[in-house]
Amino acid sequence: MALAPQDTEIPETMIRRAARALARAKAEGGGCFRFFDADLDACLRARILFETELRGAVARDELVPYFQPVMDLASGRLAGFEMLARWPHPARGMVPPKEFIAMAEDIGLIAALTEGLLRRACRAAAAWPEGLLVAVNVSSLQLRSHVLAGMVRTVLEETGLPPHRLEIELTESALIDDFDLAREIVGSLAALGVRLVLDDFGTGYSSLARLQALRFNKLKIDASFVSAMTRDPDSHKIVAAVVGLGQSLRLQTVAEGVEEQAQADALARLGCDGGQGWLFGRPVPAEAVPWLIRQATPPNGVLGLA
Ligand code: C2E
Ligand code: CA
Ligand code: CA
């Protein structure tokens, strides 16, 4: 419904606005009526525009991989990089993933988005020195379909990156819905020879039994525990417990969100294998990675390649 004279007095505009109210009534499930609302309408149109732009950007392969260094804490050497998605938007600048990953999941774009970025990340990593790994985040939704492992295999073949240099990062939420299906898919990824990483460990609800049933290689300790560990004894205990769990299950541990030297020192003392965070470097575009590799010289002066 649109009202005259509040909404407009022009008949054509009136019909268009009533049509928008109809679209909203349908979007909210139908079987109801809605009045035209200029604010809500602007919001809805902005979202539709943003979705259309994202579709275009994915179709034209415009999303770019940024790479953040991951360090080996014991040696101080560079172990590899995590790929983090960025969307260079003509009006909004560099859009961070928080603003478009969930949208891509909602509108059925996540598989295409992951494939494009995975290809660009693997192509970049294939040119780095042998020992360096590249980690790529995969959405929980993708653990509901068997196409994932085939896509990863194709991209590895195309780019020539050896499977053992690719890490696939999954979050615990991937393991909650249909555990048996997730386990099959994780199994087919493992069979390709890629490494599996459980991301944001400690923030989800997966049980230790499930963790043990899957062949993960690495646990990433969530930044919320790491950033508090030098000030809050409980956070320190949680980090220590996760590192210990990793050691007893023979899983590597990597701490995220390392911003201060004191955190890196505490993590190294606990025996945590890896560290990632602003202390070691922010995410950078692919062109800057060779420079970072050259700069990765630990305190002992040896070139920092693991
Ligand atoms: P994540 O996988 O936990 O990635 C780590 C996030 O922490 C990144 O944010 C990184 O820039 C940020 N970070 C790194 N070091 C520090 C630090 O020392 N301090 C602080 N405060 N933050 C730090 P970013 O790049 O905004 O990514 C956010 C999330 O978006 C990622 O969290 C990941 O869940 C998701 N994401 C990013 N790229 C992709 C992708 O290609 N596919 C999917 N499915 N998700 C992605
Ligand atoms: Ca991650
Ligand atoms: Ca994480």
Side-chain angles (χ1 to χ4, degrees), residues 82 137 169 171 199-201 220-223 256 276:
E82 177 176 6
N137 294 285
E169 296 198 359
T171 57
D199 205 353
D200 304 339
F201 186 67
K220 279 193 138 178
I221 307 170
D222 191 68
E256 298 188 295
Q276 179 179 353

Short mmCIF file of all heavy atoms in Angstrom, two decimals, residues 82 137 169 171 199-201 220-223 256 276, ligand 3:
data_model
loop_
_atom_site.label_atom_id
_atom_site.label_comp_id
_atom_site.label_asym_id
_atom_site.label_seq_id
_atom_site.Cartn_x
_atom_site.Cartn_y
_atom_site.Cartn_z
N GLU A 82 48.23 -16.75 5.50
CA GLU A 82 46.80 -17.01 5.37
C GLU A 82 46.22 -16.05 4.35
O GLU A 82 46.49 -14.85 4.40
CB GLU A 82 46.07 -16.82 6.71
CG GLU A 82 44.55 -17.02 6.55
CD GLU A 82 43.74 -16.95 7.84
OE1 GLU A 82 44.31 -16.63 8.90
OE2 GLU A 82 42.52 -17.22 7.77
N ASN A 137 40.45 -19.96 3.76
CA ASN A 137 39.23 -20.19 4.54
C ASN A 137 38.11 -20.73 3.65
O ASN A 137 37.88 -20.22 2.56
CB ASN A 137 38.75 -18.86 5.15
CG ASN A 137 39.73 -18.33 6.17
OD1 ASN A 137 39.82 -18.83 7.28
ND2 ASN A 137 40.50 -17.33 5.77
N GLU A 169 41.15 -24.00 5.96
CA GLU A 169 40.68 -23.63 7.30
C GLU A 169 39.16 -23.74 7.37
O GLU A 169 38.44 -23.16 6.58
CB GLU A 169 41.12 -22.19 7.64
CG GLU A 169 42.63 -22.06 7.70
CD GLU A 169 43.09 -20.81 8.45
OE1 GLU A 169 42.25 -20.02 8.92
OE2 GLU A 169 44.33 -20.66 8.57
N THR A 171 35.75 -23.76 10.24
CA THR A 171 35.38 -23.42 11.61
C THR A 171 34.54 -24.54 12.21
O THR A 171 33.99 -25.37 11.49
CB THR A 171 34.58 -22.10 11.68
OG1 THR A 171 33.44 -22.24 10.86
CG2 THR A 171 35.42 -20.93 11.20
N ASP A 199 39.73 -23.62 12.58
CA ASP A 199 39.88 -22.18 12.82
C ASP A 199 39.07 -21.76 14.06
O ASP A 199 38.12 -22.45 14.43
CB ASP A 199 39.32 -21.44 11.60
CG ASP A 199 39.91 -20.07 11.41
OD1 ASP A 199 40.66 -19.60 12.29
OD2 ASP A 199 39.62 -19.44 10.38
N ASP A 200 39.44 -20.64 14.65
CA ASP A 200 38.68 -20.04 15.76
C ASP A 200 38.43 -21.05 16.87
O ASP A 200 37.36 -21.05 17.49
CB ASP A 200 37.33 -19.48 15.28
CG ASP A 200 37.47 -18.49 14.15
OD1 ASP A 200 38.56 -17.93 13.99
OD2 ASP A 200 36.48 -18.27 13.43
N PHE A 201 39.38 -21.93 17.13
CA PHE A 201 39.13 -23.01 18.10
C PHE A 201 38.82 -22.44 19.48
O PHE A 201 39.48 -21.53 19.97
CB PHE A 201 40.32 -23.96 18.19
CG PHE A 201 40.04 -25.16 19.05
CD1 PHE A 201 39.11 -26.10 18.65
CD2 PHE A 201 40.67 -25.32 20.27
CE1 PHE A 201 38.81 -27.20 19.45
CE2 PHE A 201 40.39 -26.41 21.08
CZ PHE A 201 39.45 -27.35 20.67
N LYS A 220 43.72 -23.55 15.32
CA LYS A 220 44.02 -22.13 15.46
C LYS A 220 43.32 -21.60 16.70
O LYS A 220 42.09 -21.70 16.82
CB LYS A 220 43.55 -21.37 14.22
CG LYS A 220 44.54 -21.49 13.08
CD LYS A 220 44.22 -20.49 12.02
CE LYS A 220 45.47 -19.84 11.49
NZ LYS A 220 45.16 -18.88 10.42
N ILE A 221 44.11 -21.07 17.61
CA ILE A 221 43.56 -20.58 18.87
C ILE A 221 43.01 -19.18 18.64
O ILE A 221 43.71 -18.29 18.16
CB ILE A 221 44.64 -20.55 19.96
CG1 ILE A 221 45.31 -21.93 20.07
CG2 ILE A 221 44.04 -20.12 21.30
CD1 ILE A 221 46.55 -21.94 20.94
N ASP A 222 41.74 -18.99 18.97
CA ASP A 222 41.07 -17.74 18.65
C ASP A 222 41.73 -16.54 19.31
O ASP A 222 42.19 -16.59 20.46
CB ASP A 222 39.61 -17.82 19.09
CG ASP A 222 38.82 -16.66 18.52
OD1 ASP A 222 38.63 -16.64 17.29
OD2 ASP A 222 38.43 -15.78 19.29
N ALA A 223 41.74 -15.42 18.55
CA ALA A 223 42.38 -14.19 19.00
C ALA A 223 41.84 -13.68 20.34
O ALA A 223 42.57 -13.04 21.10
CB ALA A 223 42.20 -13.11 17.93
N GLU A 256 46.22 -16.88 16.96
CA GLU A 256 45.82 -15.75 16.11
C GLU A 256 45.78 -14.46 16.94
O GLU A 256 45.66 -14.51 18.16
CB GLU A 256 44.40 -15.96 15.60
CG GLU A 256 44.23 -17.17 14.76
CD GLU A 256 42.83 -17.17 14.15
OE1 GLU A 256 41.84 -17.28 14.88
OE2 GLU A 256 42.76 -17.05 12.93
N GLN A 276 50.31 -15.64 14.51
CA GLN A 276 49.84 -14.81 13.40
C GLN A 276 49.23 -13.57 14.02
O GLN A 276 48.49 -13.66 15.00
CB GLN A 276 48.78 -15.60 12.63
CG GLN A 276 48.16 -14.88 11.46
CD GLN A 276 47.13 -15.75 10.74
OE1 GLN A 276 46.98 -16.94 11.06
NE2 GLN A 276 46.42 -15.17 9.81
CA CA B 3 40.39 -17.37 13.00
#
